Amino acid sequence: MMSMTATQTAKPSMPITYATVTWDQLHRDARQLAASLMKEHGPFRGIVAITRGGLIPAAILGREMGCRLIESISVISYAEEEGSQHKPKVVKPAPAAGDGEGFLIVDDLVDSGITAKLVRELMPKAVFACLYAKPDGKPHTDHFVTEVAQDTWVLFPWIQHHFLSLRS
């Protein structure tokens, strides 16, 4: 399970909980997801990582499942400066995946489901998996390891330093 590291209040009535995922936890969760996917779906022809968060989980899953074809799709749905979501835009498609048949789509987290919904529409025959899922995003994923509360910000190992420097 993820460890909750801090609670900060953005507004007096809206506490924000942060969950920190360590590298060790990420690897354990990815291995657990890989085992589950292989048991239920067998080998995949390829993996599509949703950038940027899905790149590292896709690499781990690819190694664990013996899958060497890893494609990526880049979708922008957050205004980083504002931290707010807007209409998703595909800036790099995943042509090798076609309609997704035989492919696994991977992301680190499904939050609102906006990105997942768009990618699933582009590759309707693919299996969608992520390590962590929030309640609003759960309907858009086929597999996940851990559910986190909708108001929790998940801090992945590759963004923790960046996040901490913004807070200081």
Side-chain angles (χ1 to χ4, degrees), residues 37-115:
L37 288 165
M38 289 301 285
K39 184 176 181 180
E40 189 167 332
H41 299 282
F44 290 94
R45 284 185 30 227
I47 294 172
V48 176
I50 298 177
T51 66
R52 293 175 295 203
L55 289 169
I56 292 171
I60 297 168
L61 290 172
R63 175 154 310 272
E64 291 295 317
M65 298 187 307
C67 184
R68 292 182 175 267
L69 175 57
I70 300 179
E71 172 68 279
S72 67
I73 185 167
S74 182
V75 179
I76 298 173
S77 62
Y78 285 93
E80 288 192 43
E81 302 80 33
E82 304 158 19
S84 61
Q85 217 163 14
H86 54 83
K87 184 177 178 179
K89 177 183 173 185
V90 175
V91 294
K92 190 258 177 212
D99 65 2
E101 187 168 356
F103 274 77
L104 171 65
I105 301 167
V106 177
D107 208 351
D108 54 356
L109 168 75
V110 63
D111 189 331
S112 67
I114 290 173
T115 299

Side-chain angles (χ1 to χ4, degrees), residues 73 75 88-90 113-123:
I73 185 167
V75 179
K89 177 183 173 185
V90 175
I114 290 173
T115 299
K117 183 177 183 227
L118 173 65
V119 173
R120 289 194 78 131
E121 288 170 358
L122 296 171
M123 293 173 264

Side-chain angles (χ1 to χ4, degrees), residues 1-5 18-30 56-57 60 108-109 131-133 145-146 148 152-161:
M1 289 294 177
M2 291 181 277
S3 61
M4 300 298 179
T5 58
Y18 297 94
T20 300
V21 178
T22 65
W23 285 111
D24 287 342
Q25 184 66 52
L26 183 88
H27 278 265
R28 279 192 300 272
D29 290 343
I56 292 171
I60 297 168
D108 54 356
L109 168 75
L131 297 175
Y132 311 107
V145 177
T146 302
V148 295
T152 298
W153 285 64
V154 180
L155 302 177
F156 290 96
W158 54 88
I159 65 166
Q160 289 172 21
H161 176 74

